[in-house]
């Protein structure tokens, strides 16, 4: 059993039945994608994800996943979409995804976790990204499971010289959600970026942790998180910038901005800045509070109701991140989902 | 091209390292047993409730495990620490009456001079007991009490019984329990309603004995509308064996009162400084912490402000300077427990020569504390590549009607800034020293003047002629 004190969670892992749905939607592209088969791929040293219990559970029980190997100088323009859909027949996804991107190549992968019924679904997965020299990897993760589901997601990237990994994380669903993104910036001038939005309403509990581990000289990282909490939602955010010795002239930046809409929300932020190298620049900033009253007043003076004005301000804060999702259809769905949540205000 | 690195020598601690021969009137055995505790209590002629309190604390101490987070305490063997040493001196109110050798120590530290020039009262503790305590007559006339804890326990037993270790109960953590069991010395200050003590009071804690612990207890009560500035200084000469400091500070700031609590801690590098400080602030009261941590081998120190009255305020200004062989884990905790409370945290740290500075903080906003405001700012400067610097501020919010901002920065002295200053005809050394002084300036201006001068000297000594 796993206990998370800060958000108040006791978890016993469920049995993992087979997952039979076809989850890869390759949009008709002739890609070198195959259903995952057991391999000796091991997690990188120092990667803890959401914790050993979760990683072991995946290793022993995975029922789905894929391996994607992008060859050298292969630039795949169209995003690859993977959907893990959960319903009454397939309530449990334990996935292990491996994305290997060779030198000078580029790829975008959208991984979407969603429920299409009221079933109490469970997801525990890992996504590993190996970005070789001079490659560009964009990973978009969308989590919109229903409010009785549990979601646990560990993500790790190892970035070589001049490689670049962009994570976009959209956290909208589940009653309990744990998400970890760890990026090892190993190569010289490697880059890691993470933009995320989270929306907590009802009794949702979220534990979000992001780590940028700078090992390569002149590596660059940026974490940009926007969140909203309402009703009785609880979240803990941990963002770490970790400069290891040797990461000369590395730069890291981290920002979290959370809007609190109700008196009963609970919001914990633990931004960490760890440094063993003097020649670096690291910044982090966090802010939390209600909506800007002046903005709200202005919008209401223009005839918007309080609810609509609040919605508009929240949407404005989410918009730059949602707009970077390379799919009209998905953007539209996410915008509608945010709108729907506000309907209950 | 290999860029030039700043090289900085270890501080010559000069006067702080002059040690006296270890003499004493009474010394407890090493380690901790109920017998030793009863012995200490008897030696101090304490009332039975205090003896019982000490024994209860010892039980709690034994039941708690060593903390596993933060500093590595495995080298600290509590069975080797002498918990109580009565020096060869009784408490005096005139410096002339203090034994020559002990007086000389405090003379070197500049305490009697500071008392003549800029302080309204002084307390001086040597090992486990206070050897000197004095306060200006005009403050006594206004009802201000400033005395050592032993005297306070005798003369104001009811007050002590009401407040002693109520804010930091022995159950708080292992070293609070240890403190409850073996506490000795420290100062008691009582400022009556409306009294404005405009000249600071200062207590100085000097640990001379090798392998010993100092466990002084400071209790300050500032009544409604009153004001006090209290300065705490600490130092010890360096020994090869570990010394331990586990003091406890409890501050009560009543309605509309204001307390400024300044600490300059310059323990030697064989000291484990595991100190607990806590303040509770009533309606519209305010606490201002000014904290400088320069010495010790290991420090774990997080002064805590509990803002329990509406409109209460806290301000924390801290600087930590971690050098060779030092692990300084410092920060502050603020609990907003009432509406309209405000807090400001401004922390700076410098690490060099393999030193490790760690800012660890907590900001907590209770569900009922609406309309509160808090800002936290942490800045770290690393002067070389062997050092480490970490920042971990925890922010925990339980309601929405608040305004919280947090910022942290880490970096080195920028080459551009040095280049600019040098282009203006300033030497490289002076340019670096200037930048470091500029970095700590917001803190130094909060320090009492003599300490500000001392800190600037410290930086100059550290940077002088050693850059290249």
């Amino acid at each position: 059993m796993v206990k998370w004190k800060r958000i108040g969670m006791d978890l016993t892992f469920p049995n993992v039945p087979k997952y039979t749905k076809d989850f890869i939607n390759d949009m008709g592209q002739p890609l070198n994608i195959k259903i995952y088969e057991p391999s000796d791929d091991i997690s990188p040293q120092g990667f803890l994800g959401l914790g050993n219990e979760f990683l072991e559970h995946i290793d022993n029980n995975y029922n789905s996943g894929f391996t994607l190997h992008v060859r050298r100088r292969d630039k795949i323009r169209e995003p690859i979409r993977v959907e893990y859909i959960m319903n009454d027949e397939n309530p449990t996804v334990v996935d292990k995804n491996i994305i290997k991107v060779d030198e000078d190549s580029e790829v975008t992968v959208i991984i979407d976790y969603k429920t299409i019924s009221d079933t109490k679904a469970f997801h525990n997965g890992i996504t590993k990204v190996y970005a070789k020299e001079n490659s560009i990897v964009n990973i978009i993760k969308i989590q919109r499971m229903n409010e009785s589901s549990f979601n646990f997601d560990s993500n790790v990237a190892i970035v070589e010289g001049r490689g670049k990994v962009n994570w976009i994380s959209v956290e909208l669903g589940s009653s309990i959600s744990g998400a970890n993104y760890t990026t090892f910036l190993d190569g010289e001038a490697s880059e890691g970026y993470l933009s995320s939005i989270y929306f907590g309403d009802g009794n949702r509990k979220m534990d979000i942790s992001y780590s940028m581990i700078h090992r390569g000289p002149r590596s660059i990282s940026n974490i940009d998180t926007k969140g909203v909490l309402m009703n009785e939602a609880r979240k803990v955010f941990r963002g770490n910038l970790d400069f290891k010795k040797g990461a000369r002239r590395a730069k890291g930046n981290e920002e979290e901005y959370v809007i609190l809409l109700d008196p009963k929300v609970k919001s914990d932020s633990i931004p960490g800045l760890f440094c063993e190298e003097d020649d670096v620049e690291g910044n982090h900033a966090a802010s939390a509070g209600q909506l800007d009253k002046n903005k709200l007043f202005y919008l209401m003076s223009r005839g918007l109701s309080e609810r609509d004005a609040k919605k508009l301000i929240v949407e404005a804060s989410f918009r730059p991140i949602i707009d970077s999702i390379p799919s009209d259809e998905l953007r539209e769905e996410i915008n509608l989902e945010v709108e729907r949540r506000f309907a209950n205000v | 091209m290999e860029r030039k690195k700043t090289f900085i020598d270890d501080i010559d601690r000069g006067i702080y390292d002059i040690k006296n021969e270890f003499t004493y009137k009474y010394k407890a055995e090493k380690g901790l047993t109920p017998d030793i505790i009863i012995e200490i209590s008897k030696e101090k002629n304490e009332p039975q409730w205090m003896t019982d309190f000490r024994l209860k604390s010892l039980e709690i101490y034994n039941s708690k495990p060593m903390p596993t987070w933060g500093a590595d305490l495995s080298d600290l063997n509590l069975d080797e620490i002498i918990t109580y040493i009565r020096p060869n001196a009784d408490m005096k109110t005139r410096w002339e009456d203090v034994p020559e050798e002990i007086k000389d120590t405090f003379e070197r530290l500049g305490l009697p001079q500071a008392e003549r020039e800029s302080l309204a009262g002084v307390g001086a503790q040597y090992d486990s007991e206070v050897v000197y305590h004095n306060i200006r007559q005009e403050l006594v006339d206004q009802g201000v009490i400033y005395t050592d804890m032993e005297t306070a326990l005798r003369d104001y037993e009811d007050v002590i019984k009401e407040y002693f270790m109520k804010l930091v109960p022995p159950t708080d953590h292992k070293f609070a329990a240890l403190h409850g069991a073996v506490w000795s010395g420290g100062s008691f200050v009582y400022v009556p309603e409306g009294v404005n003590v405009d000249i600071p009071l200062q207590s100085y804690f000097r640990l001379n004995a090798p392998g010993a612990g100092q466990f002084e207890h400071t209790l300050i009560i500032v009544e409604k509308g009153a004001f006090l500035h209290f300065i705490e200084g600490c130092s010890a000469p360096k020994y090869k064996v570990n010394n331990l400091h586990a003091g406890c500070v409890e501050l009560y700031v009543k309605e509309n009162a204001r307390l400024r609590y300044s600490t300059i801690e310059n323990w030697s590098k064989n000291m484990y400084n595991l100190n607990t400080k806590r303040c509770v602030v009533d309606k519209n009261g305010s606490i201002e912490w000014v904290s400088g941590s320069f010495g010790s081998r290991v420090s774990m120190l997080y002064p805590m402000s509990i803002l329990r009255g509406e409109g209460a305020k806290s301000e924390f200004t801290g600087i930590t300077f971690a050098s060779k062989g030092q692990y300084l884990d410092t920060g502050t905790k603020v609990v907003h427990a009432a509406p309209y409370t405000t807090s400001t945290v401004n922390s700076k740290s410098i690490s060099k020569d393999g030193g490790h500075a760690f800012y660890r903080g907590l900001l907590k906003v209770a569900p009922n504390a609406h309309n509160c405001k808090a800002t936290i700012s942490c800045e770290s400067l690393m002067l070389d590549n062997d050092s480490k610097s970490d920042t971990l501020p925890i922010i925990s919010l339980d309601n929405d009607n608040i305004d919280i901002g947090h910022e942290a920065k880490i970096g080195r002295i920028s080459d551009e800034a040095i280049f600019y200053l040098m282009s203006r005809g300033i030497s490289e050394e002076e340019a670096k020293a200037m930048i470091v002084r500029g970095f700590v300036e917001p803190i130094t201006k909060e320090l009492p003047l003599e300490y500000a001068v001392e800190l600037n000297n410290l930086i100059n000594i550290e940077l002088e002629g050693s850059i290249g």
Side-chain angles (χ1 to χ4, degrees):
Chain A
M1 198 165 84
V2 187
K3 267 182 193 291
W4 283 355
K5 222 168 54 182
R6 244 172 222 285
I7 57 169
M9 177 195 81
D10 288 337
L11 175 77
T12 312
F13 287 107
N15 287 326
V16 181
K18 272 203 166 68
Y19 184 79
T20 54
K21 238 179 148 58
D22 190 8
F23 48 85
I24 308 277
N25 174 0
D26 63 6
M27 315 299 261
Q29 293 177 89
L31 292 169
N32 185 12
I33 296 176
K34 62 176 194 293
I35 301 299
Y36 188 79
E37 278 155 26
S39 84
D40 54 1
D41 187 88
I42 48 162
S43 289
Q45 266 216 317
F47 174 64
L48 300 171
L50 286 170
N52 265 333
E53 303 90 341
F54 291 93
L55 300 185
E56 272 168 28
H57 179 254
I58 299 165
D59 279 337
N60 298 332
N61 298 286
Y62 63 87
N63 62 7
S64 55
F66 66 89
T67 298
L68 169 66
H69 192 167
V70 182
R71 312 271 171 204
R72 207 171 153 205
R73 292 204 192 131
D74 197 357
K75 295 199 172 150
I76 301 171
R77 296 289 169 209
E78 279 300 305
I80 295 164
R81 274 182 68 177
V82 180
E83 284 179 333
Y84 290 100
I85 295 168
M86 285 156 264
N87 59 6
D88 299 336
E89 291 83 53
N90 289 293
T92 308
V93 169
V94 178
D95 59 328
K96 199 167 177 181
N97 310 311
I98 294 177
I99 298 166
K100 288 185 177 164
V101 184
D102 287 351
E103 292 83 354
D104 306 310
S105 49
E106 186 176 343
V107 71
T108 299
V109 183
I110 302 173
I111 305 176
D112 191 1
Y113 299 92
K114 63 179 179 184
T115 46
I116 50 168
S117 74
D118 290 338
T119 189
K120 191 177 176 211
F122 178 90
H123 164 231
N124 178 26
I126 186 167
T127 300
K128 300 182 198 180
V129 175
Y130 297 88
K132 294 281 176 77
E133 282 189 11
N134 211 22
S135 62
I136 299 175
V137 187
N138 305 305
I139 308 285
I140 294 118
K141 282 226 158 186
I142 296 159
Q143 188 271 112
R144 38 181 175 156
M145 293 157 68
N146 66 35
E147 45 237 57
S148 55
S149 300
F150 283 13
N151 170 61
F152 301 98
D153 197 20
S154 303
N155 297 275
V156 59
I158 296 162
V159 193
E160 293 185 7
R162 295 183 316 286
K164 195 190 215 179
V165 169
N166 297 309
W167 300 102
I168 294 174
S169 160
V170 177
E171 272 289 323
L172 294 175
S174 297
S175 79
I176 288 182
S177 181
N180 172 275
Y181 290 80
T182 304
T183 309
F184 291 95
L185 299 165
D186 282 359
E188 181 155 357
S190 54
E191 297 172 46
Y193 300 98
L194 191 148
S195 308
S196 73
I197 56 175
Y198 60 84
F199 196 123
D201 58 353
N203 280 308
R204 255 174 245 277
K205 295 173 181 175
M206 290 181 279
D207 188 309
I208 299 165
S209 52
Y210 304 141
S211 286
M212 292 288 182
I213 297 159
H214 290 263
R215 288 172 175 159
R218 295 192 293 118
S219 48
I220 297 173
S221 75
N222 190 53
I223 298 173
D224 180 11
T225 300
K226 302 269 168 38
V228 172
L229 294 180
M230 54 200 261
N231 309 125
E232 292 176 27
R234 294 170 82 167
K235 80 103 219 281
V236 50
F237 168 86
R238 302 164 214 264
N240 296 321
L241 297 178
D242 195 348
F243 297 98
K244 298 291 186 195
K245 201 158 181 158
R248 289 183 312 278
R249 304 204 193 173
K251 279 184 194 173
N253 201 56
E254 173 187 339
E255 258 178 68
E256 191 213 3
Y257 179 55
V258 53
I259 299 174
L260 308 174
L261 291 176
D262 283 303
K264 284 195 174 156
V265 298
K266 187 164 167 25
S267 169
D268 287 4
S269 299
I270 311 177
L273 194 53
F274 305 98
C275 191
E276 307 181 325
E277 168 67 53
D278 68 329
D279 196 0
V280 300
E281 278 174 47
N283 292 299
H284 63 69
S287 65
Q290 288 180 309
L291 289 175
D292 184 333
K293 290 209 169 75
N294 292 329
K295 275 187 198 164
L296 204 61
F297 180 79
Y298 173 78
L299 291 170
M300 285 166 73
S301 78
R302 294 290 178 156
L304 260 65
S305 71
E306 188 176 337
R307 190 182 73 96
D308 285 346
K310 280 184 175 174
K311 195 182 82 186
L312 198 65
I313 296 171
V314 169
E315 279 175 354
S317 103
F318 280 0
R319 188 47 70 87
I321 294 170
I322 294 178
D323 277 354
S324 61
I325 298 170
S327 157
D328 294 344
E329 175 203 342
L330 270 176
R331 274 201 303 273
E332 188 57 24
E333 282 177 28
I334 290 165
N335 282 329
L336 279 173
E337 178 66 14
V338 172
E339 184 128 345
R340 188 184 69 80
R341 294 287 185 80
F342 261 99
N344 310 326
V345 173
Chain B
M1 190 192 81
E2 184 61 27
R3 283 186 303 161
K4 285 183 179 172
K5 288 280 174 194
T6 312
F7 172 76
I8 291 162
D9 241 345
D10 201 9
I11 315 174
D12 173 12
R13 296 177 72 250
I15 51 162
Y16 298 110
D17 277 335
I18 300 173
K19 48 191 104 158
N20 294 340
E21 198 188 326
F22 177 36
T23 57
Y24 52 85
K25 197 182 282 171
Y26 169 82
K27 172 169 83 88
E29 291 301 311
K30 284 178 181 175
L32 281 168
T33 62
D35 289 345
I36 291 175
I37 303 296
I38 292 168
E39 195 68 33
I40 292 174
S41 192
K42 207 192 274 170
E43 181 73 15
K44 294 166 92 69
N45 271 323
E46 286 175 345
Q48 188 59 39
W49 68 267
M50 186 53 90
T51 314
D52 295 343
F53 185 91
R54 285 178 185 275
L55 290 170
K56 184 94 208 335
S57 301
L58 180 67
E59 258 174 53
I60 298 165
Y61 170 80
N62 285 328
S63 70
K64 283 195 186 281
M66 277 294 243
T68 49
W69 54 279
D72 175 14
L73 300 175
S74 58
D75 203 27
L76 177 66
N77 186 354
L78 286 155
D79 295 331
E80 287 296 312
I81 299 279
I82 309 164
T83 50
Y84 179 72
I85 297 157
R86 181 183 285 276
N88 256 328
D90 293 324
M91 224 266 290
K92 302 290 182 207
T93 53
R94 283 164 20 125
W95 280 112
E96 295 91 278
D97 300 337
V98 175
E100 200 65 23
E101 199 186 31
I102 296 178
K103 193 180 84 183
D104 285 351
T105 304
F106 287 108
E107 284 282 0
R108 275 195 298 270
L109 296 167
L111 202 61
Q113 192 195 353
E115 181 180 5
R116 283 191 297 275
E117 288 169 2
S118 56
L119 297 170
V122 159
Q125 177 160 344
Y126 192 81
D127 292 336
S128 295
E129 292 288 347
V130 176
V131 293
Y132 173 85
H133 232 289
N134 195 20
I135 178 171
R136 288 193 186 174
Q137 190 55 41
E138 60 262 37
L139 290 177
V140 177
D141 294 344
Q142 290 180 79
V144 176
I145 299 165
Y146 177 41
T147 182
D148 63 299
M149 278 301 287
E150 279 71 15
T151 308
L153 185 58
R154 259 195 321 275
D155 297 354
Y156 313 100
E157 193 180 331
D158 294 348
V159 183
I160 304 297
K161 204 170 175 178
E162 187 185 338
Y163 288 97
F164 183 80
M165 291 201 87
K166 290 292 183 323
L167 205 48
V168 183
T171 46
D172 212 64
H173 57 85
K174 193 170 178 80
F175 291 92
L178 176 65
H179 178 89
V182 298
W183 75 271
S184 181
S187 294
F188 170 66
V189 188
Y190 179 84
V191 186
E193 194 170 333
V195 173
N196 183 9
V197 183
D198 49 2
I199 311 173
L201 302 178
Q202 176 168 20
S203 287
Y204 202 102
F205 303 102
R206 173 78 178 175
L207 183 57
N208 184 65
Q214 197 168 46
F215 307 96
E216 86 288 350
H217 194 93
T218 300
L219 176 59
I220 299 179
I221 301 164
V222 186
E223 287 290 354
K224 285 181 186 169
F227 167 72
L228 172 70
H229 182 187
F230 186 85
I231 303 169
E232 176 193 61
C234 327
S235 72
K238 184 164 174 142
Y239 291 102
K240 287 210 168 58
V241 290
N242 290 327
N243 279 13
L244 170 66
H245 175 236
C248 178
V249 173
E250 293 180 293
L251 311 174
Y252 294 85
V253 177
K254 302 288 173 78
E255 234 178 277
N256 289 314
R258 185 157 79 93
L259 170 63
R260 169 170 269 243
Y261 194 93
S262 306
T263 307
I264 300 298
E265 174 271 303
N266 199 357
W267 296 112
S268 53
K269 289 181 189 169
N270 57 322
M271 180 67 89
Y272 280 80
N273 181 32
L274 309 171
N275 213 359
T276 311
K277 298 179 175 182
R278 202 161 290 171
C279 178
V280 62
V281 188
D282 289 340
K283 195 173 173 185
N284 294 327
S286 108
I287 172 76
E288 296 161 19
W289 300 95
V290 179
S291 181
S293 298
F294 306 105
S296 84
R297 170 175 170 180
V298 165
S299 271
M300 286 171 86
L301 173 63
Y302 323 98
M304 180 176 190
S305 313
I306 301 168
L307 307 174
R308 73 170 172 198
E310 257 189 53
K313 254 169 75 174
S314 82
E315 209 181 297
F316 176 88
T317 311
I319 180 156
T320 299
F321 199 142
S323 183
K324 194 174 181 177
Q326 291 185 290
Y327 174 77
L328 305 184
D329 197 320
T330 57
T332 187
K333 297 195 261 188
V334 184
V335 179
H336 288 260
Y340 301 100
T341 46
T342 53
S343 69
T344 312
V345 174
N346 188 3
S347 156
K348 303 243 180 183
S349 70
I350 302 174
S351 47
K352 64 155 200 114
D353 237 2
H356 189 173
F358 201 132
Y359 176 87
R360 199 188 293 270
L362 172 70
L363 173 76
K364 194 168 175 49
V365 179
N368 63 325
H370 56 82
N371 286 294
C372 68
K373 274 189 185 159
T375 56
I376 309 168
S377 156
C378 307
E379 275 184 76
S380 321
L381 187 64
M382 284 176 69
L383 294 181
D384 59 55
N385 214 2
D386 299 323
S387 309
K388 274 190 180 184
S389 179
D390 298 328
T391 311
L392 194 69
I394 302 176
I395 302 167
S396 184
L397 311 173
D398 276 8
N399 89 65
D400 69 323
N401 194 353
I402 47 179
D403 184 359
I404 307 293
H406 158 72
E407 258 180 77
K409 261 188 235 166
I410 200 156
R412 76 201 293 268
I413 300 176
S414 87
D415 292 339
E416 287 84 1
I418 290 170
F419 182 77
Y420 172 77
L421 289 169
M422 285 171 71
S423 77
R424 294 291 179 154
I426 293 165
S427 73
E428 187 178 344
E429 290 96 281
E430 181 50 25
K432 283 198 175 166
M434 219 170 181
I435 291 165
V436 174
R437 276 201 302 270
F439 177 75
V440 298
E441 201 253 333
I443 313 279
T444 43
K445 74 176 188 220
E446 296 296 328
L447 293 176
L449 184 67
E450 62 274 21
Y451 285 114
V453 172
E454 191 182 312
L455 177 60
N456 271 334
N457 286 339
L458 200 79
I459 290 165
N460 283 347
I461 291 170
E462 298 234 3
L463 297 174
E464 210 167 69
S466 54
I467 291 160

